[in-house]
Amino acid sequence: MKPGMPSIPQKTRVKLAVSTYSYWHFKEPKVSVDKIIEKAARLGIEGVDVLHRQMDSESKSYLNKLKRHAFVNGIDLVCLSIHQDFVSPDEEEREKNIQHTLRCLEIAADMGIPSIRLNSGRWGTRKSFDDLMAHRGHEEPIPGYDEDDAFAWAIDSIEKCLPRAEELGVVMALENHWGLSSTPEGMLRIKKAIDSTWLGLLMDTGNFLEDPYQKLEMIAPYTVFVQAKTYFGGGEWYTLDLNYKRIAEILENVGYQGYVSLEFEGKEPADEGVSKSIYILREAFHS
């Protein structure tokens, strides 16, 4: 370094984003992705994480409109959060979910989005999500099958998506989103079985319901995207008191330099809850 040149800061550089889900918890009225891009710009954050089910269309014209709208508002579209389920003994059902994932990889690529949120899937023996949450995410296997079967189905299905992910340049980020990936051990079992840089882990800070910090530490070295839960007004299904300075330290310790995307899941009006939440994340990650 030349004399008089400023030193380069060693602190990791995390950018903040907001998930469109923060403004729409699957209840009417649905808030448009366009409006959320504008809200993100007013909040002064860098990115928007798009919930696939919140999009109005998959048409090329709609995707291009969102892409342009994000660009002129100075917003990066950073993740396409999709739903799929690879835990089924029915090969045709798994293939349907593989094809859905491949289609969403193409949508992400068309929009310039570098990652998709991936689910492993769950047994589905608790028929409603409310019932699943009432049992803290636990459910029994389908009779006649066990965990080894489920992991084999999920790993095989994800492997079938990898060539297209690499071809399109879109990273698949496996979230701790119930089912097989509801534990760090389950996430790491899948990740370690699939040796590819096009599969990483997505850390959802609010989906380890008990003893979260040790579990977050386990997946942090493999994390490529973070979704940060907050619960102002009380959570839709549960409320966690998360220490974001501690979570920031966990991520800093592994050199994480990616996005942290807010998933506001409280019952307070979204504009208020999101604003408070972004303040907390800025304090934790930028101070």
Side-chain angles (χ1 to χ4, degrees), residues 68-84:
R68 181 189 180 279
H69 197 57
F71 174 69
V72 299
N73 279 278
I75 293 295
D76 294 326
L77 300 178
V78 295
C79 186
L80 181 66
S81 285
I82 74 172
H83 291 80
Q84 77 281 88

Side-chain angles (χ1 to χ4, degrees), residues 3-72:
M5 291 287 287
S7 61
I8 298 172
Q10 295 302 304
K11 187 175 175 64
T12 54
R13 182 177 58 87
V14 166
K15 292 183 178 181
L16 298 183
V18 64
S19 169
T20 61
Y21 168 76
S22 298
Y23 293 89
W24 178 61
H25 297 167
F26 301 105
K27 299 175 182 178
E28 294 302 327
K30 184 167 73 172
V31 181
S32 73
V33 177
D34 308 62
K35 293 294 183 186
I36 296 167
I37 289 170
E38 294 167 11
K39 291 175 184 288
R42 287 196 293 270
L43 286 165
I45 58 179
E46 291 91 350
V48 166
D49 169 13
V50 180
L51 183 64
H52 176 245
R53 291 182 179 177
Q54 201 166 345
M55 292 167 56
D56 293 337
S57 166
E58 292 183 359
S59 70
K60 186 73 170 178
S61 61
Y62 175 73
L63 302 184
N64 285 345
K65 183 184 78 166
L66 287 183
K67 187 176 178 181
R68 181 189 180 279
H69 197 57
F71 174 69
V72 299

Side-chain angles (χ1 to χ4, degrees), residues 15-251:
K15 292 183 178 181
L16 298 183
V18 64
S19 169
T20 61
Y21 168 76
S22 298
Y23 293 89
W24 178 61
H25 297 167
F26 301 105
K27 299 175 182 178
E28 294 302 327
K30 184 167 73 172
V31 181
S32 73
V33 177
D34 308 62
K35 293 294 183 186
I36 296 167
I37 289 170
E38 294 167 11
K39 291 175 184 288
R42 287 196 293 270
L43 286 165
I45 58 179
E46 291 91 350
V48 166
D49 169 13
V50 180
L51 183 64
H52 176 245
R53 291 182 179 177
Q54 201 166 345
M55 292 167 56
D56 293 337
S57 166
E58 292 183 359
S59 70
K60 186 73 170 178
S61 61
Y62 175 73
L63 302 184
N64 285 345
K65 183 184 78 166
L66 287 183
K67 187 176 178 181
R68 181 189 180 279
H69 197 57
F71 174 69
V72 299
N73 279 278
I75 293 295
D76 294 326
L77 300 178
V78 295
C79 186
L80 181 66
S81 285
I82 74 172
H83 291 80
Q84 77 281 88
D85 193 328
F86 299 130
V87 179
S88 172
D90 185 337
E91 188 174 350
E92 287 188 7
E93 183 65 21
R94 297 199 303 275
E95 181 61 25
K96 182 175 75 174
N97 282 272
I98 290 167
Q99 291 303 316
H100 172 66
T101 305
L102 294 173
R103 170 62 183 145
C104 288
L105 284 166
E106 292 169 356
I107 290 170
D110 284 346
M111 296 174 72
I113 298 176
S115 69
I116 65 167
R117 186 276 299 277
L118 196 69
N119 293 337
S120 59
R122 63 183 184 89
W123 290 110
T125 49
R126 298 198 187 279
K127 296 306 179 183
S128 76
F129 191 72
D130 289 341
D131 186 36
L132 183 71
M133 290 297 94
H135 289 84
R136 307 292 280 180
H138 298 296
E139 59 180 355
E140 296 300 316
I142 297 170
Y145 298 94
D146 60 23
E147 244 189 16
D148 289 340
D149 295 313
F151 276 103
W153 297 329
I155 290 165
D156 178 68
S157 299
I158 293 169
E159 284 178 333
K160 288 176 177 175
C161 299
L162 279 171
R164 190 62 172 148
E166 182 172 2
E167 182 182 3
L168 294 168
V170 177
V171 177
M172 296 189 293
L174 177 69
E175 182 183 344
N176 49 325
H177 191 82
W178 319 119
L180 302 184
S181 57
S182 61
T183 67
E185 292 83 2
M187 296 180 78
L188 293 172
R189 179 172 175 176
I190 294 171
K191 172 57 185 164
K192 291 180 178 180
I194 302 173
D195 183 20
S196 172
T197 55
W198 295 97
L199 176 70
L201 300 186
L202 191 159
M203 176 190 289
D204 187 312
T205 62
N207 284 357
F208 291 140
L209 302 187
E210 286 83 29
D211 305 315
Y213 305 109
Q214 182 179 359
K215 295 173 182 177
L216 296 176
E217 284 178 351
M218 289 174 66
I219 66 170
Y222 307 92
T223 293
V224 295
F225 194 75
V226 176
Q227 291 175 335
K229 288 280 202 313
T230 58
Y231 306 92
F232 289 105
E236 293 284 359
W237 291 279
Y238 56 85
T239 303
L240 299 180
D241 182 16
L242 294 169
N243 181 337
Y244 273 104
K245 287 210 175 277
R246 185 170 177 181
I247 293 170
E249 288 174 2
I250 290 170
L251 290 166

